[in-house]
Amino acid sequence: MGNLVVAGTDGSSSSFAAVETAAVEARRRRADLRVVYALNWPVRPMYSPLDTTPINRLVSEAAERARSVAPEVTVTEAMVPGDTVSVLEAESREADLLVLGARGAGGLLGMLLGSTAASVTAHSRCPVMVARGESPETETGPVVLCVDGSPASEAAVEFAFAEAALRGARLAAVHVWLPDYAPPGTGVESAERLLVQALAGHAEKYPDVTVRHEVASGEVREVLIERSRTAQLVVAGARGRGGFTGLLLGSVSQALLHHAHSSVAVVRSRA
């Protein structure tokens, strides 16, 4: 783990919850926290300077919430001109984790995080966590890892193990397959082998993490959304291998961002 967690804020209750989650994540990583507001004004006043005083207060309140949750974490705050996606993509270049709320405030002062979460996730250079819930320190249940065996999902596997270790949580590694579309000659045994191969080496690296393997059949998004009901975090890769045998994690991750009952982390390899 590195030394910087970035939280996007827009003054909404959802983004304040995200800031609190980010503070807990920064403490777990012994990292600094940067609270960022994107100055995404569609129309600049022609005859008066842009008054950022209300925004200053919002950002300061968000930073204070973070300090109250994790007083030992160094918290800085910034207002950055630009559209939300561009600002957060730039922030992600130096961050180890970017944390957003599930919904935004909307309007002139809003970053519209809810409507842009998928775009931010697609462009981010670091893992993106979309936070749900008001009490990040009281989360229970396992970390659920979506496994499809693709090279693109390797970063998600590493992140999930590391996050489970930081949280002292169990790891539930889930591979979902559709028996009706499986190639001839393959069955549940093949799916189980794929799961074992995808996790190979990580259990040795994280010996304190208890791992449960699960091969489930059904529609991928429905299975994972259901698993999120009892999870404290669901981890997915940004893209899958596609086709009938792949999980199409691009679409799955978007479904999780919108419909999961727990927080969701979407992970892609740094370019």
Side-chain angles (χ1 to χ4, degrees), residues 1-5 26 29-32 95-96:
M1 295 298 177
N3 297 312
L4 181 63
V5 174
R29 291 163 166 75
R30 299 182 180 177
D32 295 339
D96 302 284

Side-chain angles (χ1 to χ4, degrees), residues 102-123:
R103 296 173 302 280
L108 290 179
L109 294 179
M111 289 172 63
L112 300 173
L113 288 181
S115 64
T116 62
S119 295
V120 172
T121 299
H123 291 88

Side-chain angles (χ1 to χ4, degrees), residues 143-236:
V143 171
V144 172
L145 167 64
C146 316
V147 177
D148 74 345
S150 68
S153 71
E154 292 177 2
V157 174
E158 172 64 26
F159 179 91
F161 269 90
E163 190 70 20
L166 287 170
R167 293 169 178 244
R170 306 183 314 279
L171 179 64
V174 181
H175 174 63
V176 187
W177 70 308
L178 293 170
D180 291 343
Y181 296 104
T186 63
V188 66
E189 296 83 4
S190 177
E192 291 171 346
R193 284 195 300 272
L194 182 150
L195 185 56
V196 170
Q197 291 169 2
L199 303 181
H202 293 280
E204 291 77 14
K205 185 177 179 181
Y206 296 96
D208 294 333
V209 174
T210 300
V211 183
R212 177 171 59 85
H213 295 193
E214 179 184 356
V215 174
S217 61
E219 203 284 323
V220 179
R221 287 168 292 190
E222 292 179 1
V223 170
L224 296 176
I225 290 169
E226 182 62 28
R227 295 298 183 278
S228 75
R229 290 182 181 275
T230 56
Q232 59 178 286
L233 178 70
V234 177
V235 180

Side-chain angles (χ1 to χ4, degrees), residues 57-139:
R57 287 198 293 266
L58 290 176
V59 177
S60 295
E61 181 182 352
E64 284 306 310
R65 284 180 177 240
R67 294 184 184 104
S68 68
V69 170
E72 64 272 52
V73 171
T74 299
V75 181
T76 57
E77 51 198 79
M79 296 183 298
V80 183
D83 69 272
T84 303
V85 175
S86 297
V87 167
L88 294 178
E89 189 275 334
E91 294 289 329
S92 74
R93 292 173 181 267
E94 302 299 326
D96 302 284
L97 180 67
L98 175 62
V99 185
L100 307 177
R103 296 173 302 280
L108 290 179
L109 294 179
M111 289 172 63
L112 300 173
L113 288 181
S115 64
T116 62
S119 295
V120 172
T121 299
H123 291 88
S124 178
R125 302 302 181 93
C126 70
V128 177
M129 184 177 294
V130 176
R132 287 183 173 85
E134 302 294 333
S135 302
E137 294 185 279
T138 61
E139 293 172 330

